[in-house]
Amino acid sequence: MSQFFALTLSDVQRDTADSLVLTLEVPEQHRARFAHRAGQHLTLRTWLEGEELRRSYSLCNASGEAALQLAIKRIAGGRFSEWAHQHLHVGAVIEAMTPTGNFGLDTQADVPRHYAAFAAGSGITPILSVLETTLRDEPHSRFTLVYGNRDLASVQFRERLCTLKDRYLARLSVFHFFSNEPQDVALFGGRIDQPRCQSLFDSCLSVPTLDQVYLCGPAGMMEAASAALQANGLPASRIRREQFVADPAIRQRAASAVVSPGVALTVRLEGATRRLRLPPSDDSLLDRMLKSGLAPRYSCKSGVCATCRCRVLEGQVDMPSPHPLDASEVAQGFVLACLSKALSPSLTLAFD
Ligand code: FES
C-alpha cells in the first residue's frame, strides 16, 4: 500500500548552485521499516494547488545509518524540485514512503573485490551510497569511481568525495570528466563516451580486474560505458544500471492505444486479497487499480523507479522494454504495473 510517514528535516545543505542535500530524521518507532540497503530510493510526496505530486530520490548515505540522506537537484520547470528548493528547511516535515530498490548488492566483509561505478550528474547519488557502504563494510575491497559533470562547480558531493578519498587512500580511485572545462589531461576533458572509456581502460582502469560495475546517469552515458566494458570482456551480468529519467520511447509505448480486454483481476496487497472486474481500457494496470480504489505503491508512473513492481501469479501482461527490472526479476514474473497492460481475461498480481 502507498503508506506515507511524516519525517522531519534535521539538516539542509546547499551542495552546488542547484542541488540541496537533505537529511531526514526517522522517528524511533519507524527505524526498522526505514532501514535502507545501499542504492535504494525514497518516494516523497507533497500537494501543490490540490494536486498530489510524488517523486523518487535515491538515498545517498550508507546503509545502516539511522537518518536518511538524499539530494534534490533543481530542474527548470520541475514543480517538485522548485517547490523543494523554495520551501524545505530544517524542521520542515515531509511525507515519505519506505525505501525500495535493488540497485546495490549485499556486501561480504571477507571477500576482496574491485568495484567500479560510472556516474554522470545526479547519477552520483545511489552510487555514493553503494560506494560508502562497500568501502565501510568490505575492508579488503577497492572502488573506482568515474564521474562526469559539466565542470568542477557542478560536481555534487565534491567535498564528501575528497574526504572519502583521504579516508580510503589506497582503496578509492576517482576520475573526474568535465564536458565544459578544459583539463590538463585531454582524456578527462569531455563526456564519458565509448572512446574515452576505452582510453581509460587502456591507461588507468583494467577491466579484467573488475568484479562488479554500477552505472547511473543519462541513458547515453550508460550505453557507452556498458558497451565499452563488454567490448573489453566484462559480462553484462556484472553490470548494474539505475535509471533516473524516463525513456521517452518507453513512455510512448506504454501510453499506446493498446486496449486491454475486460479483466477479472485478483490482487494480493499487504496480506489482503481483493477481486475486481475491470472494464476494457487503454490505461495501465496501475491506473486501472487506482481508479478502482486500490492503493498499490507507486511514484514516477514512468517506468523509472520500480516502486510499482509486482509479480504476475496468473495470466499475461504486456510490458514495454527496456525497463529497470533485471533478467532474474523478469524470469520470476515481476512486472511494473505502471507500464503494463493486461493481455488475458483473468490476472492475479501480488504486491507483497
Ligand atoms: S511507479 Fe515508478 S516504475 Fe512504476
Side-chain angles (χ1 to χ4, degrees), residues 41 56 286 297-309 324 336-339:
H41 52 82
S56 275
L286 176 66
R297 290 167 67 104
Y298 73 92
S299 178
C300 69
K301 282 192 170 185
S302 310
V304 176
C305 66
T307 306
C308 65
R309 192 184 83 142
L336 299 178
C338 72
L339 292 184

Side-chain angles (χ1 to χ4, degrees), residues 121-333:
S122 329
I124 188 66
T125 48
I127 300 276
L128 189 59
S129 169
V130 169
L131 182 156
E132 287 192 353
T133 305
T134 304
L135 290 172
R136 181 196 64 193
D137 295 348
E138 293 192 2
H140 309 294
S141 293
R142 60 199 173 103
F143 211 111
T144 299
L145 171 65
V146 180
Y147 186 17
N149 281 285
R150 216 173 39 244
D151 50 30
L152 187 63
S154 59
V155 174
Q156 289 180 251
F157 303 107
R158 195 166 92 204
E159 276 183 31
R160 191 145 141 193
L161 286 171
C162 286
T163 306
L164 286 165
K165 187 76 195 73
D166 289 344
R167 187 186 308 161
Y168 301 111
L169 208 49
R171 297 199 289 129
L172 173 62
S173 304
V174 181
F175 297 104
H176 287 284
F177 284 70
F178 296 125
S179 60
N180 204 20
E181 190 170 296
Q183 298 298 297
D184 292 341
V185 179
L187 167 62
F188 301 117
R191 289 181 194 283
I192 300 173
D193 55 16
Q194 197 167 344
R196 280 196 188 82
C197 287
Q198 187 58 55
S199 300
L200 187 73
F201 300 157
D202 292 341
S203 55
C204 318
L205 177 60
S206 166
V207 175
T209 68
L210 295 174
D211 296 290
Q212 185 68 46
V213 177
Y214 298 92
L215 310 177
C216 188
M221 184 282 285
M222 293 199 288
E223 281 307 320
S226 176
L229 287 160
Q230 290 182 65
N232 284 268
L234 192 78
S237 58
R238 288 203 237 153
I239 302 173
R240 296 174 81 86
R241 296 168 183 236
E242 181 79 331
Q243 199 173 311
F244 63 85
V245 285
D247 182 330
I250 298 179
R251 237 191 222 157
Q252 201 175 8
R253 214 192 128 201
S256 70
V258 174
V259 176
S260 294
V263 55
L265 179 67
T266 304
V267 180
R268 276 187 10 204
L269 184 61
E270 299 274 305
T273 300
R274 289 273 311 273
R275 289 184 180 79
L276 308 167
R277 176 149 284 285
L278 301 177
S281 167
D282 60 0
D283 285 342
S284 69
L285 276 169
L286 176 66
D287 281 335
R288 292 172 88 179
M289 285 185 271
L290 293 172
K291 283 178 184 168
S292 303
L294 293 180
R297 290 167 67 104
Y298 73 92
S299 178
C300 69
K301 282 192 170 185
S302 310
V304 176
C305 66
T307 306
C308 65
R309 192 184 83 142
C310 58
R311 194 169 185 176
V312 179
L313 300 182
E314 175 260 323
Q316 280 186 306
V317 304
D318 174 49
M319 178 172 66
S321 102
H323 47 68
L325 300 182
D326 64 31
S328 73
E329 290 173 295
V330 173
Q332 292 172 67

Side-chain angles (χ1 to χ4, degrees), residues 20-40:
L20 291 179
V21 177
L22 311 181
T23 304
L24 296 93
E25 227 33 74
V26 180
E28 191 69 43
Q29 71 268 29
H30 296 320
R31 292 264 163 89
R33 68 174 87 219
F34 274 92
H36 73 284
R37 295 176 55 210
Q40 287 195 307

